[in-house]
Amino acid sequence: MAGEAKNLISIADLSKDEISGILSLASSFAEVLRRPVKKVPALRGKTIVNLFLEPSTRTRMSFELAAKRLSADVVNFSSGTSSIVKGESLKDTAKTIFSMGADAVVVRHQSSGAPQMLTKWVDCSVINAGDGMHEHPTQALLDLYVMRERMGGLEGLKVAIVGDIEHSRVARSNILALNKVGSKVLLCAPRTLLPAGIEEFGVETTVSLDEALGWCDVLYLLRVQAERIEGPRFPSLEEYHENYGLSEKRWDKLEKKPLVMHPGPMNRGVEIASSVADEVEPSIAGQVAAGVAVRMAVLYKLLSGSVSSERFEREQ
Amino acid sequence: MCLLEERGGFSFVCALSLAVVAMGFRARAKILDSDDIQRILKRVAHEILERNKGSEGIALIGVRTRGVHLARRIARAIEEIEGGKVDIGELDVSLYRDDISIRPTPDVGVTNLDFDVTDKKVIIVDDVLYTGRTTRAALDAITDFGRPKVIQLAVLIDRGHRELPIRADYVGKNIPTAGEERVKVSLEEVDGVDMVEIGEGELS
């Protein structure tokens, strides 16, 4: 195969220009999604494999829809139904997928670094759809897209990320991305949910949600990931809600309401009160809708023009 | 390097553009000036009205970038002649191209068709007709938006060398060219000046 496969593993690998390139491309694809026929032939003949080895609803559906809107063929592998349950290793699964002639693998894995490993075993594009506590780059790109659309720009935008920072790949990717595009980031969490060495990320931290609310333009709530949290980090979910949840009382008190975002699925009554969740639902739904356009942009960027310039010159 | 077909008003001969890469466009002759272009567009507006028996149901869809400006000018001319309003749309055909996988990733511009094309008399407007591949992509894109009554093609320049069975219904000027030649269309709205030149080499 000619040329290097192009991958999206980490936001750290993208430059500011590449990020804004993807966001602009995503606006063009958002327009495609408003057409009567929401499909373009751009990736006809390409095969994309969704390898989801950890539960996921919206990300998998979003990638599948994005691929189909671009006319690519999609194969779904998920942990429950594939030979993974028979003990097949990731490496063997990867080889199988590649032998089937896939042009890209979209991978979600519970282990941080799995997508990076995959790039060594297959010669096609690898896209990280969330690996352990490491990164979830397409989520961050779609979040930036929504912020840019709703707030008019990213430069100097004040974004407070609230909740379980330590276990959140969404937070990590967002921090990296927001730093690159010149937004300001404030992390708000109990000290037990802030990772060690967070200072290296070049962000401010606070333990007071009210301080964060008074400061931010965008309030990004994270899901409390009960399944990843080992041992007691806070006394109870009720107490978490009291101190770090967007309660009705806090929300009503706010004079200037920030844009509220959440990667989903929301734990109502924990990070956000149910009534507030209903109120901000349209913007959360906007995130899901933007997800398809942004993932179309990523797939298009990685898979179109994928032939190296040498072969391109030869064929002309 | 080689960008979109007919982008910047010039063409799609990649082998040659690679051979002369980074040498830039060198004009050899000016084919049309501002007055010529104005006269041509007025004549094309008249031809469109004649062929379609008036402006009823006409929609002009410009192929980005310069086709869009030409479509706007023709629409203005039609409105001056007949009164009434015609629909104008902008089309980016990048996602419908047949060479997406063999060329460097093209950027995707904005498509803006805020009217229903079904049962309209659609006229595709482009600056240069060359291989016909852009027009083929435009036909596919438009038919995904609906089922026009008729689709016609208006171009400022037809430079020959078709690779598909496509011809224009309205031609501003036929310019016989050699394959390695380039036709560069400049328009006031984009380039600050109206003119058409013929020459060699790639535009930046």
Side-chain angles (χ1 to χ4, degrees):
Chain A
M1 189 170 153
E4 293 245 339
K6 294 185 278 179
N7 309 310
L8 177 60
I9 305 299
S10 164
I11 292 288
D13 302 333
L14 298 175
S15 68
K16 183 184 179 179
D17 286 349
E18 283 172 310
I19 291 174
S20 47
I22 291 170
L23 300 185
S24 307
L25 204 48
S27 344
S28 299
F29 285 116
E31 180 270 316
V32 169
L33 296 175
R34 292 192 293 270
R35 294 182 189 177
V37 174
K38 298 169 181 54
K39 194 178 177 90
V40 287
L43 295 186
R44 213 173 42 184
K46 303 282 185 189
T47 305
I48 296 168
V49 175
N50 282 331
L51 180 63
F52 276 66
L53 303 176
E54 199 187 57
S56 161
T57 314
R58 61 204 78 210
T59 305
R60 193 188 59 74
M61 280 173 58
S62 182
F63 266 111
E64 182 171 353
L65 211 47
K68 288 180 169 169
R69 299 294 196 215
L70 290 166
S71 303
D73 295 313
V74 186
V75 183
N76 289 310
F77 269 58
S78 34
S79 41
T81 53
S82 65
S83 284
I84 299 282
V85 291
K86 298 179 194 160
E88 190 176 48
S89 72
L90 178 63
K91 186 172 180 177
D92 290 335
T93 306
K95 292 277 180 206
T96 308
I97 290 168
F98 187 62
S99 312
M100 288 175 179
D103 297 287
V105 185
V106 178
V107 61
R108 151 126 351 157
H109 202 281
Q110 68 277 12
S111 306
S112 305
Q116 184 65 51
M117 293 298 290
L118 213 52
T119 61
K120 299 198 176 82
W121 299 327
V122 296
D123 211 357
C124 60
S125 290
V126 176
I127 298 163
N128 182 2
D131 60 332
M133 298 189 286
H134 175 228
E135 277 219 49
H136 192 352
T138 58
Q139 177 73 43
L141 291 169
L142 81 87
D143 291 334
L144 262 62
Y145 177 81
V146 171
M147 289 178 209
R148 199 181 72 160
E149 294 283 298
R150 296 288 300 270
M151 309 303 290
L154 295 169
E155 186 85 46
L157 190 69
K158 293 186 231 166
V159 183
I161 303 178
V162 182
D164 183 2
I165 312 288
E166 180 177 6
H167 299 91
S168 176
R169 56 195 175 207
V170 172
R172 197 175 308 266
S173 289
N174 263 299
I175 293 165
L176 289 169
L178 289 165
N179 275 343
K180 291 208 177 190
V181 299
S183 304
K184 298 193 181 87
V185 180
L186 176 66
L187 303 178
C188 173
R191 290 197 202 289
T192 49
L193 290 175
L194 279 175
I198 191 70
E199 305 76 29
E200 291 164 30
F201 279 97
V203 291
E204 301 289 319
T205 61
T206 177
V207 291
S208 159
L209 179 56
D210 292 309
E211 184 194 329
L213 280 169
W215 172 84
C216 71
D217 303 314
V218 177
L219 183 72
Y220 197 104
L221 298 171
L222 296 169
R223 188 170 67 90
V224 173
Q225 304 188 70
E227 75 274 20
R228 287 190 215 280
I229 299 178
E230 294 156 10
R233 302 297 180 102
F234 46 85
S236 69
L237 292 175
E238 291 73 26
E239 197 167 324
Y240 181 87
H241 182 66
E242 188 60 35
N243 290 318
Y244 291 97
L246 186 57
S247 64
E248 225 178 303
K249 204 171 75 197
R250 280 204 175 92
W251 181 249
D252 290 342
K253 211 168 62 187
L254 283 176
E255 274 177 34
K256 187 186 101 210
K257 306 257 195 277
L259 172 67
V260 178
M261 298 178 66
H262 191 294
M266 288 191 278
N267 292 320
R268 286 165 183 258
V270 184
E271 62 263 7
I272 186 165
S274 196
S275 59
V276 183
D278 289 338
E279 203 175 318
V280 300
E281 183 62 45
S283 85
I284 313 278
Q287 273 176 278
V288 177
V292 178
V294 169
R295 288 178 177 118
M296 285 170 84
V298 168
L299 291 173
Y300 176 75
K301 199 100 190 148
L302 295 185
L303 292 181
S304 65
S306 59
V307 176
S308 75
S309 52
E310 279 161 67
R311 183 166 149 206
F312 167 60
E313 285 169 35
R314 205 168 59 233
E315 284 183 359
Q316 290 304 308
Chain B
M1 295 277 286
C2 193
L3 299 170
L4 301 179
E5 174 181 1
E6 286 152 20
R7 178 170 172 181
F10 60 72
S11 42
F12 177 39
V13 191
C14 291
L16 290 150
S17 67
L18 286 163
V20 293
V21 76
M23 291 182 70
F25 178 78
R26 297 175 308 282
R28 210 180 53 237
K30 190 160 154 184
I31 309 281
L32 300 175
D33 64 18
S34 176
D35 288 345
D36 297 329
I37 293 174
Q38 254 181 313
R39 273 183 223 112
I40 283 173
L41 294 179
K42 197 161 265 179
R43 190 195 83 225
V44 168
H46 276 287
E47 286 177 4
I48 289 172
L49 288 168
E50 185 184 4
R51 163 113 48 132
N52 295 288
K53 301 186 169 41
S55 62
E56 179 76 32
I58 284 181
L60 297 167
I61 298 183
V63 177
R64 278 177 60 92
T65 307
R66 285 168 185 74
V68 174
H69 298 292
L70 294 172
R72 290 203 184 115
R73 292 197 204 178
I74 294 171
R76 228 175 298 138
I78 288 177
E79 285 161 13
E80 274 164 28
I81 300 161
E82 287 268 303
K85 268 223 153 313
V86 297
D87 287 316
I88 307 172
E90 302 178 32
L91 191 64
D92 182 284
V93 300
S94 318
L95 299 169
Y96 285 83
R97 303 196 60 87
D98 58 9
D99 53 5
I100 281 181
S101 63
I102 59 162
R103 310 179 77 195
T105 310
D107 283 333
V108 182
V110 179
T111 289
N112 186 5
L113 292 182
D114 54 6
F115 53 88
D116 186 0
V117 298
T118 299
D119 293 329
K120 283 274 159 61
K121 296 172 188 167
V122 167
I123 297 157
I124 299 171
V125 184
D126 205 353
D127 53 359
V128 180
L129 177 58
Y130 180 31
T131 61
R133 287 177 193 268
T134 301
T135 306
R136 202 275 316 157
L139 286 168
D140 280 355
I142 289 168
T143 45
D144 271 357
F145 279 88
R147 186 177 185 277
K149 186 162 190 245
V150 56
I151 303 181
Q152 299 166 352
L153 174 63
V155 297
L156 182 60
I157 305 294
D158 182 349
R159 60 164 293 194
H161 302 277
R162 215 77 74 240
E163 294 171 2
L164 294 171
I166 280 170
R167 56 153 186 80
D169 301 272
Y170 314 98
V171 179
K173 190 171 176 61
N174 282 295
I175 303 180
T177 55
E180 72 275 12
E181 285 176 317
R182 294 302 148 77
V183 175
K184 183 183 171 201
V185 174
S186 305
L187 293 179
E188 180 94 50
E189 296 91 328
V190 193
D191 313 288
V193 60
D194 274 358
M195 63 174 173
V196 176
E197 298 159 293
I198 190 163
E200 281 99 29
E202 193 70 47
L203 191 71
S204 58

